[in-house]
């Protein structure tokens, strides 16, 4: 898998436990994911300084976790896939972000990579999320 080119964009999203969107970062898929994730989480920390802990996918173990332990004194829990798992099972706390991605995939423009710039992709995510939350009122 190393050296393999990926087309499209990567989306790093920080949500709270209620599923509210705190921060988004969209970038070209050929940039290493951890860099985008660190940028997004630090941006969320700047806007919401009361954040005390976070959860991330297994792809963020290592540099990402160490950065927040050392420099921000924030505990990051990494959700790893369970080897004995058969079929779909909800992993602890990971369902919050997975649920948010599922809500966003209901938007037609986010189902494929239609956007020409990362800025317009971020804007479409915010519009789609706002529409989803307004429907729930």
């Amino acid at each position: 898998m190393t050296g393999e080119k990926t087309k499209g964009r990567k989306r790093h999203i920080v949500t709270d436990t209620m599923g509210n969107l705190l921060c988004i970062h969209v970038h070209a898929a050929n940039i290493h994911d951890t860099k985008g994730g660190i940028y997004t989480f630090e941006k969320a920390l700047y806007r919401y300084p009361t954040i005390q802990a976070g959860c991330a996918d297994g792809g963020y173990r290592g540099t990402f976790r160490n950065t927040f332990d050392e420099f921000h004194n924030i505990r990051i829990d990494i959700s790893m896939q369970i080897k004995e798992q058969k079929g779909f099972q909800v992993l602890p706390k990971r369902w919050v972000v997975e649920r948010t991605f599922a809500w966003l995939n209901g938007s037609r423009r986010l189902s494929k990579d239609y956007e020409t710039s990362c800025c317009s992709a971020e804007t479409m995510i915010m519009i789609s999320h706002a529409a989803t939350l307004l429907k729930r009122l």
Side-chain angles (χ1 to χ4, degrees):
M1 292 281 182
T2 9
E4 188 176 312
K5 288 189 177 183
T6 312
K7 294 181 181 177
R9 290 173 186 43
K10 294 286 183 182
R11 299 173 182 157
H12 300 275
I13 294 178
V14 177
T15 62
D16 66 4
T17 54
M18 301 290 290
N20 295 324
L21 210 53
L22 299 181
C23 196
I24 307 165
H25 181 61
V26 179
H27 62 82
N30 57 359
I31 297 174
H32 192 269
D33 284 348
T34 305
K35 290 178 188 173
I38 288 174
Y39 170 80
T40 308
F41 206 79
E42 285 181 341
K43 189 175 168 186
L45 283 174
Y46 177 74
R47 290 174 59 191
Y48 304 94
T50 57
I51 294 176
Q52 297 176 357
C55 294
D57 196 301
Y60 293 100
R61 66 185 179 274
T63 309
F64 182 81
R65 177 191 253 169
N66 295 340
T67 299
F68 286 95
D69 264 353
E70 278 183 48
F71 299 110
H72 301 292
N73 199 25
I74 291 178
R75 182 177 47 91
I76 301 290
D77 294 326
I78 303 294
S79 298
M80 298 298 288
Q81 185 177 6
I82 302 165
K83 291 182 181 178
E84 306 86 40
Q85 177 179 331
K86 292 185 180 177
F88 175 78
Q89 289 180 349
V90 177
L91 295 176
K93 297 180 187 175
R94 184 173 170 176
W95 66 271
V96 175
V97 174
E98 296 296 337
R99 177 190 64 193
T100 304
F101 276 123
W103 288 345
L104 293 174
N105 282 336
S107 176
R108 188 174 187 278
R109 282 185 65 172
L110 295 175
S111 64
K112 299 275 188 246
D113 199 16
Y114 291 120
E115 304 305 319
T116 55
S117 72
C118 293
C119 184
S120 65
E122 286 181 18
T123 303
M124 282 309 302
I125 289 172
M126 287 188 272
I127 291 170
S128 175
H129 197 70
T132 301
L133 292 177
L134 285 172
K135 284 181 206 170
R136 298 180 191 286
L137 288 177

